[in-house]
């Protein structure tokens, strides 16, 4: 399968998409197979690799980039609708 997302650090909760993907597409990173997208997501946006509880930190680059404002399921789009960043 072709790699379609980039996971930067092994502790990351998210991967960045390398191209636009449709709902139902399985994420593939250099580390292997990931979850299936729950919705269409555009290139450059983040997708959850694992479940993140509401109020928990979301990690990218191995570091927290914000806090989940609701439960985030594997394959969900991670963006301002479910992530509160440090400046928001």
């Amino acid at each position: 399968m072709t790699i379609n997302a980039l996971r930067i650090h092994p502790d990351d909760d998210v991967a960045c998409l390398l191209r636009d993907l449709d709902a139902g597409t399985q994420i593939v990173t250099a580390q292997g197979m990931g979850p299936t997208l729950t919705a269409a997501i555009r290139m450059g946006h983040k997708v959850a690799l694992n479940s993140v509880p509401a109020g928990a930190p979301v990690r990218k680059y191995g570091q927290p980039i914000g806090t989940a404002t609701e439960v985030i399921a594997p394959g969900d789009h991670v963006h301002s609708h479910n992530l509160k960043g440090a400046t928001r």
Side-chain angles (χ1 to χ4, degrees):
M1 297 204 78
T2 302
I3 292 173
N4 56 21
L6 176 65
R7 183 179 195 169
I8 298 167
H9 190 278
D11 294 336
D12 287 351
D13 297 305
V14 298
C16 289
L17 297 189
L18 298 174
R19 61 181 166 277
D20 295 351
L21 296 176
D22 294 325
T25 303
Q26 186 167 24
I27 294 300
V28 181
T29 68
Q31 295 79 16
M33 305 295 275
T36 300
L37 294 183
T38 59
I41 303 176
R42 298 192 49 99
M43 179 180 74
H45 283 250
K46 297 176 292 298
V47 60
L49 296 171
N50 49 271
S51 182
V52 181
V58 175
R59 288 181 170 72
K60 182 179 175 186
Y61 314 111
Q63 301 295 316
I65 59 167
T67 303
T69 59
E70 59 188 57
V71 174
I72 301 173
D76 281 355
H77 184 200
V78 178
H79 199 54
S80 59
H81 67 282
N82 59 8
L83 178 70
K84 179 181 178 186
T87 60
R88 259 185 58 199

